[in-house]
Amino acid sequence: MMSLFHEYFLAFLHPFKNQQALRVLRERAMEISGTRPLRLAGDLFEEDEIPTTAELEQASSLDFVEVLGMSWFFAAIEGFYAILALHLGQVFFQSWSTPNDLALLLPIETTMYTQRVLLTAALAKVVFFPIIFWFYAKFWKVLIKFFAGLFQVDGDLNKIVDQVVNQSMTSHFMLSVPIFGRMLRHLLGLLHLFAGLRNNLQMSVLQSVVIILSPAIIMTMITSLFMVSILYLLSVSF
């Protein structure tokens, strides 16, 4: 368990070095098997960019189940924070307000119903976390494979994309941070994806940025199309 946490934390802490080390390990294995394609001189790394032997030995290559297990643990911590905040909020209002004041703000039945809804939502996020996690990871894997084929990236895309996405999911470590953890998780998750696209798939900065921004672009296009359709239907109706 501790070794798994150690690998998870290292992958979270050093996304660029870890993704580069994974690529170098893969290329060395291809050299040994004689299946590595030749590269141009301009594609070679500078000497100070090549990971050391120690860095290669410490490179984390967590599989999906391992990342899911550790991320689920941090999602449970976030759920605990939510329940604790709900309890502290209730204690705060009870200590600073009289029952009559609370009754004027919200009926007791409404307050209890709201608490049950919030508690159920917090527990549901933890219980259904693996399903949400799987869909999120699958979405990025499909998207990256599509663009990798479009940009004509060489190599075993299934294996490489799995590495990129799996290592990026270690950003769930930030769920252990109260209040701002979820926002930081999303921001660092995109940073980890960028690190994998650049240092593992060896895409350019522009290509990596296009892939990172593609979900927002797709959602904008769908929303715009929906709004145009609504306006067209309204114009036809009137």
Side-chain angles (χ1 to χ4, degrees), residues 82-103:
I83 296 173
L84 181 62
L86 182 63
H87 173 71
L88 292 178
Q90 181 182 13
V91 171
F92 174 79
F93 280 110
Q94 288 179 348
S95 60
W96 286 88
S97 303
T98 64
N100 292 332
D101 294 334
L102 291 175

Side-chain angles (χ1 to χ4, degrees), residues 80-193:
F80 171 76
Y81 288 152
I83 296 173
L84 181 62
L86 182 63
H87 173 71
L88 292 178
Q90 181 182 13
V91 171
F92 174 79
F93 280 110
Q94 288 179 348
S95 60
W96 286 88
S97 303
T98 64
N100 292 332
D101 294 334
L102 291 175
L104 291 174
L105 293 173
L106 283 174
I108 296 178
E109 294 80 5
T110 304
T111 305
M112 293 298 296
Y113 175 77
T114 303
Q115 291 176 356
R116 285 197 294 267
V117 169
L118 293 176
L119 179 60
T120 302
L123 294 176
K125 285 178 66 176
V126 177
V127 172
F128 294 104
F129 175 82
I131 299 176
I132 300 172
F133 186 95
W134 183 85
F135 275 108
Y136 184 83
K138 190 67 175 179
F139 169 79
W140 278 111
K141 288 178 181 180
V142 171
L143 194 66
I144 294 174
K145 285 178 186 177
F146 170 77
F147 279 101
L150 194 64
F151 297 146
Q152 298 181 341
V153 177
D154 297 325
D156 185 356
L157 290 182
N158 289 325
K159 180 179 180 179
I160 303 173
V161 172
D162 282 347
Q163 286 183 342
V164 170
V165 175
N166 289 344
Q167 309 311 306
S168 72
M169 302 300 270
T170 58
S171 60
H172 282 85
F173 176 81
M174 294 308 299
L175 294 180
S176 60
V177 178
I179 303 175
F180 301 107
R182 181 154 292 274
M183 179 183 67
L184 293 173
R185 190 223 84 61
H186 287 295
L187 292 176
L188 290 177
L190 295 178
L191 177 64
H192 278 68
L193 282 174

Side-chain angles (χ1 to χ4, degrees), residues 4-16:
L4 178 59
F5 176 79
H6 179 70
E7 286 188 37
Y8 187 95
F9 184 70
L10 284 179
F12 164 76
L13 201 60
H14 304 290
F16 288 91

